[in-house]
Amino acid sequence: MSRRVYALIDCNSFYCSCERIFRPELATTPIVVLSNNDGCVIARTREAKALGIAMGAAYFEIRDELRQLGVQAFSSNYALYSDVSNKVMRCIHSQVPDLEQYSIDEAWAELTGMLGDLATIGKAIKERVWSECAMPVGVGIGHTKTLAKLANFAAKKWQKTGGVVDLTDPIRRDKLLKVAPVDEVWGVGRRLSKSLEVMGIKTAWDLAHADLSVIRKSFGRVLERTARELLGEEWLRMHQAPDLKKEICSSKMFGTKLRTIEPIREALASYVARAAEKLREQGSLAEEMVISLQTSGFVEDRERYFSSARCILPHPTNDTLLMTQAANQALERIFRKGYAYSKVGVLLTNLCPADGYTPDLFAEPPRRNCERLMKAIDQLNARYGRGAVRVGTIWPGGRAWQMKREMLSPSYTSSWRELPRAG
């Protein structure tokens, strides 16, 4: 039986590359994308990295520097990134037998049994994703997921590879293991690498050939399995159905401080709607919600406030309307006048599968046609853009709570009015 072969396909500077798709004139311009409320840098192109712009740098501190260096800054456009991600994943899936999405910008593909040279297959995937989605990707190939992930690191770091690295050849694999820093190994990271360096483990090769009993005793079985995978021993396989989330949270900082309950209630309704949407996406119901309200942590003690309220829902549900009503009642209990609030959030807990739930004969029954209504809302929002259909307490304009996004790109993929025009 042939050994399994995995590929890790990862988009290059994904958020920034999404912004370039509809702005081809920025193909060589340094770009950064900012976090919520235009707070700090969370994505950089290769050109921006070369200018020394640090990840996590506060935008208000480097605004003038970016302007002088000719760097284009963008606010986070999550709707755009989600749509581009879905298109990229569909494109990759059409070329491989099996796909497992790992994050918004990367996925595992199984290449086992595919005919032809693996590097050539990887290049074909890369070229087609670029041709159909205008998204640059790196492809790493190996007999284990950990090796495929390391191969992807090499594909991105060294341009001579052409963006594709195949580590199924033991000689090529060992060559990379000897030069790859241990913090580039999947699951290690900088913090753990410092502890490993104290033990003389500085490269992926050192980790792969370390005393496994010492690794297991000092760091646990997870790192031991990582070391084994570096030598081609498979421990992690494709997962078609990942575990369902046990909790779902929806929370963001306000664009401005809020002192009255009306805009906070509106923001909360928006977050509840998004949490309920996520709940339906994974086919779950929630039995409880926790609503939290807080001021900034950077104010004096007398101006600081935090409170939360737990609400038990009448029955497990993913009904946005029912959850919004419960959330508003909880907000009334914890809101206090006299504070400048900076954040409200909703946490859904005690989740259970919708298809495995048996209703309680003595509990309040769900609203009639609730399931059909929620399905219709989700379909309309998917077709016309998130927020096209809103709960009554969410108003389409004048949102004082909405996060600050002064450099937001147009809704190229979710608004007819903002479709790009050729002229």
Side-chain angles (χ1 to χ4, degrees), residues 271-280 318-320 323 348:
Y271 302 159
V272 169
R274 180 57 185 141
E277 186 179 275
K278 292 179 181 178
L279 199 61
R280 293 191 290 271
N318 54 27
D319 181 349
T320 300
M323 296 165 66
L348 307 183

Side-chain angles (χ1 to χ4, degrees), residues 383-407:
R383 181 174 181 179
Y384 297 108
R386 183 175 296 161
V389 179
R390 305 177 174 91
V391 178
T393 54
I394 307 177
W395 300 100
R399 299 179 181 175
W401 53 270
Q402 208 165 33
M403 62 181 177
K404 183 170 60 178
R405 293 195 287 183
E406 296 178 350
M407 295 153 288

Side-chain angles (χ1 to χ4, degrees), residues 352-374:
C352 63
D355 57 4
Y357 166 65
T358 302
D360 187 339
L361 289 173
F362 302 101
E364 178 183 328
R367 288 186 306 108
R368 187 179 179 184
N369 294 329
C370 163
E371 186 174 341
R372 292 175 60 189
L373 175 61
M374 292 302 110

Side-chain angles (χ1 to χ4, degrees), residues 99 103 169 181 193 216 247 283 299 331-332 335 344 346 351 355:
L99 187 77
S103 66
D169 177 6
S193 67
R216 180 173 62 251
E247 295 182 335
V299 295
L331 179 62
E332 294 281 355
F335 178 81
V344 71
V346 56
L351 309 188
D355 57 4

Side-chain angles (χ1 to χ4, degrees), residues 133-324:
C133 308
M135 177 60 62
V137 300
V139 182
I141 303 170
H143 283 305
T144 68
K145 281 187 168 182
T146 303
L147 283 172
K149 183 79 168 176
L150 193 65
N152 189 277
F153 153 73
K156 289 188 171 185
K157 182 173 179 61
W158 292 292
Q159 294 185 356
K160 291 182 179 180
T161 64
V164 179
V165 171
D166 174 16
L167 294 186
T168 55
D169 177 6
I171 296 176
R172 190 181 295 115
R173 176 198 68 191
D174 291 349
K175 183 178 179 181
L176 178 59
L177 290 179
K178 291 177 181 178
V179 298
V182 71
D183 62 0
E184 293 295 344
V185 175
W186 184 32
V188 175
R190 294 184 180 180
R191 183 176 299 179
L192 181 55
S193 67
K194 293 180 180 179
S195 299
L196 291 171
E197 288 182 10
V198 174
M199 301 170 62
I201 300 174
K202 299 181 180 180
T203 65
W205 175 268
D206 295 335
L207 178 59
H209 292 84
D211 187 328
L212 294 181
S213 63
V214 174
I215 294 295
R216 180 173 62 251
K217 183 177 180 180
S218 302
F219 304 102
R221 291 189 178 275
V222 173
L223 190 60
E224 178 197 356
R225 291 171 182 173
T226 297
R228 290 181 182 275
E229 285 226 328
L230 288 173
L231 290 178
E233 186 178 326
E234 185 185 12
W235 280 87
L236 302 169
R237 296 195 176 188
M238 300 287 283
H239 296 289
Q240 289 285 38
D243 293 337
L244 298 179
K245 294 179 180 178
K246 297 180 179 179
E247 295 182 335
I248 291 178
C249 180
S250 181
S251 176
K252 294 183 180 69
M253 300 291 289
F254 301 141
T256 58
K257 299 293 194 321
L258 302 178
R259 291 184 174 273
T260 59
I261 195 170
E262 287 76 14
I264 298 175
R265 184 184 292 117
E266 182 183 335
L268 179 59
S270 176
Y271 302 159
V272 169
R274 180 57 185 141
E277 186 179 275
K278 292 179 181 178
L279 199 61
R280 293 191 290 271
E281 285 175 359
Q282 73 168 33
S284 295
L285 306 174
E287 295 185 38
E288 297 183 28
M289 290 194 308
V290 178
I291 306 303
S292 60
L293 181 65
Q294 67 183 73
T295 60
S296 170
F298 301 98
V299 295
E300 296 182 9
D301 290 345
R302 59 185 176 83
E303 299 176 346
R304 193 175 301 176
Y305 176 81
F306 172 84
S307 186
S308 63
R310 179 178 297 272
C311 25
I312 309 297
L313 297 166
H315 52 78
T317 184
N318 54 27
D319 181 349
T320 300
L321 302 182
L322 177 60
M323 296 165 66
T324 302

